[in-house]
Amino acid sequence: MGLGPRSPHKARRRLPAGGKRGRGAKGPGRPSSGRQRQLGPPGVGRSEPALDPHPHLSPEALGYFRRALSALKEAPEAGEERELMVHNVLKEAEAQALALATNRTGSEMLQELLGFSPLKPLCRVLATLRSNLHLVACHRCGVHVLQSALLQLPRLLGSRVEEEVEVGEDGKDPPSETLEELVLGLASEVCDDFLIYCGDTHGSFVVRTLMQMLGGTLLESERARHRGSQSPEAQRAPTRECKPTDFEVPESFLNCLQDLCSCFLKDIAVFITDKISSFCFQVALQILHRKLPQFCAHLCNAVIDYLSNRNSSADGSPLLLFLQDQTSSRLLEQVLLVLDPPRLQSLFEDHFQGRLQTLAAHPIANFPLQRLLDAVTTPELLSPVFEELSPALEAVLAQGHPGVVIALVGACRRVGTHQAQVLQLLLEAFHCAEPPSRQVACVPLFATLMTYEVYYGLLEEEGAVPAEHQVEMGTTRALGEVTVLGSLLLQHLLHFSTPALILRSLGALTGPQLLSLAQRPGRKLLLSWESGTRS
């Protein structure tokens, strides 16, 4: 939260192992009027930044900041006392910002402190970090501090500059840059060594965060990408399902964003093929698509043109080689999601058409194919895609790529065509189309992504007439393990124009089976359908 100007009154609480400095107070280590000031740890009170490129943070300093942070958390959320405490602690943090940022424990505390920071203290800390940009941005701890400082922009951009300016030791106001100037300066430095920062494991985080701040867009997908243990399918979920958050930025930021993203064109081959650098390009496309769509289209065309002029594959399309590559396929996924419909149609006709079943069967290329399906918004594109993919639905499921089938069903839901056809194909793929009595069992099969025989443990000889569905068999069996992808499939089907069959199958479930469904990943499908019917 943004805090107002400091109060001239003294706070009622003294921070542990540190003093309080209000307006006009004497420097650190000097006795206050009437009694000796309690001294902080060695070096805490220095006003000048450390010159050592690898500064050391003493245990005493760590103890001070730990106690100070604890006191801040216990203080009331608003009021003069808290404002003065925040000011005092951040003044000490400014003096040792580099040492804190490059220390594992210190960096975690500094990140928390920045969340409390008003505008001017944040600017001073950011200025210190910027003066040692390469050391901080490419450091495993420092990068997170720099990210945290940048992530305060949505909260502080546009804040009124504090009316009271701190007076330096010589009685003059210390020179300072505005937050806008600091960010633009930092972007300029990153631009000068763009390839280095984008290619560094830690530095690439800074580039991606900086682009989000310049574009006034916080990408939830970017946070989710690095939250730890996620399945490969979840990690490559459609970007469009993650909702970005927009905030106001000055026009200079958008101009700077375009200048920064122009650097991708200088070494486009690296950003297409290098795993770490490619992440930066992917984030840039997401932001530009929202804020500078024409420039986004320019970058997408550059990627497609470059890849289209490489050596051709055996099938004749050079793009197919990159669709099957672990790194470049991820960038192409993002390109597919941000292309406008005419360009997407052209890309499909030039490179995808006639090869969809091959792509669907490939362990890597099936992911960009899913993104192509996610991007389909017109009947003109869906019809040839559906015609080519629909005969292979059961084979694609058997190959372990249900995401392709679910993306195709999602396209049918979104465009509003081929819905009855795809539902019939699903019933056939899950072996519950014939005899008709089996159709009432489709919801458990779709939710668990199991065929009828596997779900009910039947042994049927090939070519034998399928057995009728027994109601007792469906009601006595506990619901199988609902998968996330199975839940997504049912969500799409419930939003079809005629969901009668799915509703009838849901109605055939017993109370315990419905309760089990509500307690598993599939519970979202019921909430999703209910909210959709009310809107």
Side-chain angles (χ1 to χ4, degrees):
M1 59 182 173
L3 300 177
R6 301 186 316 279
S7 167
H9 302 292
K10 293 183 179 180
R12 293 185 296 274
R13 177 183 299 187
R14 181 186 295 273
L15 290 179
K20 53 179 181 281
R21 273 200 303 259
R23 182 177 56 184
K26 298 180 181 180
R30 300 181 183 182
S32 59
S33 57
R35 57 183 175 181
Q36 181 72 27
R37 178 184 182 272
Q38 186 176 359
L39 296 178
V44 168
R46 293 179 303 177
S47 58
E48 65 277 1
L51 299 177
D52 184 358
H54 298 283
H56 173 70
L57 191 67
S58 68
E60 294 83 7
L62 270 177
Y64 164 74
F65 287 110
R66 184 180 290 111
R67 292 190 296 272
L69 186 58
S70 177
L72 272 176
K73 291 179 178 179
E74 295 174 2
E77 291 189 4
E80 297 176 358
E81 179 182 10
R82 183 184 181 84
E83 290 182 22
L84 189 56
M85 290 172 65
V86 168
H87 167 80
N88 289 342
V89 178
L90 286 169
K91 188 68 174 178
E92 305 293 359
E94 176 196 348
Q96 297 207 78
L98 193 57
L100 283 166
T102 52
N103 176 278
R104 181 175 179 179
T105 303
S107 67
E108 292 173 355
M109 291 189 292
L110 184 53
Q111 288 178 67
E112 286 196 71
L113 285 171
L114 291 174
F116 295 114
S117 179
L119 178 61
K120 292 189 73 64
L122 178 83
C123 287
R124 290 193 298 268
V125 172
L126 187 57
T128 302
L129 298 177
R130 179 188 153 192
S131 64
N132 298 272
L133 182 59
H134 190 272
L135 171 62
V136 176
C138 298
H139 189 278
R140 67 179 184 276
C141 300
V143 57
H144 298 297
V145 174
L146 192 52
Q147 277 187 296
S148 296
L150 290 170
L151 288 170
Q152 304 309 312
L153 265 67
R155 175 172 65 89
L156 295 175
L157 269 177
S159 298
R160 287 185 58 197
V161 179
E162 296 176 6
E163 295 177 2
E164 298 180 43
V165 183
E166 294 179 26
V167 178
E169 294 289 338
D170 58 358
K172 298 180 179 179
D173 295 340
S176 62
E177 295 178 277
T178 66
L179 184 57
E180 180 179 347
E181 291 168 340
L182 282 167
V183 174
L184 292 175
L186 189 149
S188 177
E189 293 187 39
V190 169
C191 193
D192 290 340
D193 292 309
F194 193 65
L195 199 59
I196 294 175
Y197 286 112
C198 288
D200 184 84
T201 302
H202 307 299
S204 65
F205 281 82
V206 172
V207 177
R208 277 136 55 186
T209 305
L210 178 61
M211 289 190 296
Q212 292 177 75
M213 296 303 102
L214 291 173
T217 300
L218 280 171
L219 299 175
E220 179 60 28
S221 60
E222 177 64 9
R223 293 197 196 108
R225 190 197 297 270
H226 302 281
R227 281 180 182 163
S229 57
Q230 291 182 337
S231 67
E233 192 78 27
Q235 289 176 1
R236 299 186 77 149
T239 307
R240 63 169 54 193
E241 292 185 0
C242 304
K243 298 179 180 179
T245 302
D246 293 329
F247 58 96
E248 292 294 326
V249 293
E251 188 67 25
S252 61
F253 275 26
L254 293 177
N255 295 333
C256 182
L257 175 65
Q258 181 165 328
D259 292 341
L260 191 67
C261 292
S262 296
C263 296
F264 288 113
L265 297 172
K266 299 175 184 177
D267 299 281
I268 193 167
V270 175
F271 291 105
I272 290 174
T273 57
D274 181 72
K275 180 179 180 180
I276 298 174
S277 302
S278 177
F279 281 136
C280 295
F281 205 167
Q282 294 170 48
V283 169
L285 291 177
Q286 295 177 60
I287 300 166
L288 292 170
H289 179 58
R290 296 175 66 83
K291 297 303 178 75
L292 298 170
Q294 290 185 337
F295 189 69
C296 178
H298 177 61
L299 288 183
C300 288
N301 288 335
V303 172
I304 295 170
D305 291 345
Y306 175 83
L307 296 181
S308 299
N309 291 315
R310 301 301 97 192
N311 294 329
S312 299
S313 70
D315 291 332
S317 171
L319 202 65
L320 289 182
L321 294 174
F322 295 93
L323 289 170
Q324 298 169 8
D325 177 75
Q326 184 73 40
T327 298
S328 58
S329 66
R330 287 183 179 269
L331 178 60
L332 284 168
E333 287 179 42
Q334 191 57 56
V335 169
L336 290 166
L337 286 173
V338 300
L339 284 178
D340 58 35
R343 190 70 176 94
L344 188 68
Q345 180 86 34
S346 175
L347 184 68
F348 167 74
E349 294 170 355
D350 293 341
H351 300 282
F352 284 83
Q353 196 163 22
R355 305 175 180 92
L356 297 188
Q357 292 189 23
T358 301
L359 296 175
H362 194 274
I364 295 174
N366 80 90
F367 289 106
L369 174 58
Q370 291 178 44
R371 300 296 83 80
L372 170 68
L373 294 167
D374 290 332
V376 172
T377 57
T378 64
E380 292 76 18
L381 180 54
L382 179 58
S383 291
V385 168
F386 185 85
E387 181 181 352
E388 188 174 339
L389 267 182
S390 56
L393 249 61
E394 184 171 356
V396 172
L397 288 168
Q399 290 158 353
H401 300 157
V404 174
V405 175
I406 293 161
L408 180 62
V409 175
C412 294
R413 165 192 169 181
R414 189 169 54 254
V415 178
T417 59
H418 302 287
Q419 293 183 357
Q421 294 167 272
V422 79
L423 178 56
Q424 179 62 32
L425 289 169
L426 285 171
L427 294 174
E428 294 172 4
F430 284 87
H431 302 173
C432 60
E434 296 292 339
S437 60
R438 288 190 175 191
Q439 294 181 10
V440 75
C442 67
V443 163
L445 306 184
F446 294 162
T448 58
L449 295 180
M450 294 182 184
T451 62
Y452 187 91
E453 295 84 4
V454 173
Y455 186 84
Y456 289 107
L458 302 179
L459 294 176
E460 293 185 348
E461 295 183 4
E462 186 176 354
V465 177
E468 294 284 342
H469 178 69
Q470 304 298 320
V471 176
E472 297 79 9
M473 187 168 58
T475 56
T476 57
R477 188 191 189 287
L479 187 69
E481 184 63 33
V482 179
T483 67
V484 173
L485 292 178
S487 172
L488 288 173
L489 175 60
L490 283 172
Q491 288 175 54
H492 289 319
L493 294 172
L494 281 167
H495 284 86
F496 274 14
S497 58
T498 308
L501 177 61
I502 306 301
L503 293 175
R504 189 160 60 248
S505 181
L506 275 172
L509 297 178
T510 64
Q513 288 171 335
L514 286 171
L515 181 61
S516 179
L517 184 63
Q519 293 174 337
R520 297 186 185 184
R523 63 187 180 275
K524 184 179 177 183
L525 72 94
L526 297 173
L527 297 174
S528 172
W529 175 75
E530 183 179 354
S531 64
T533 57
R534 291 180 179 179
S535 60

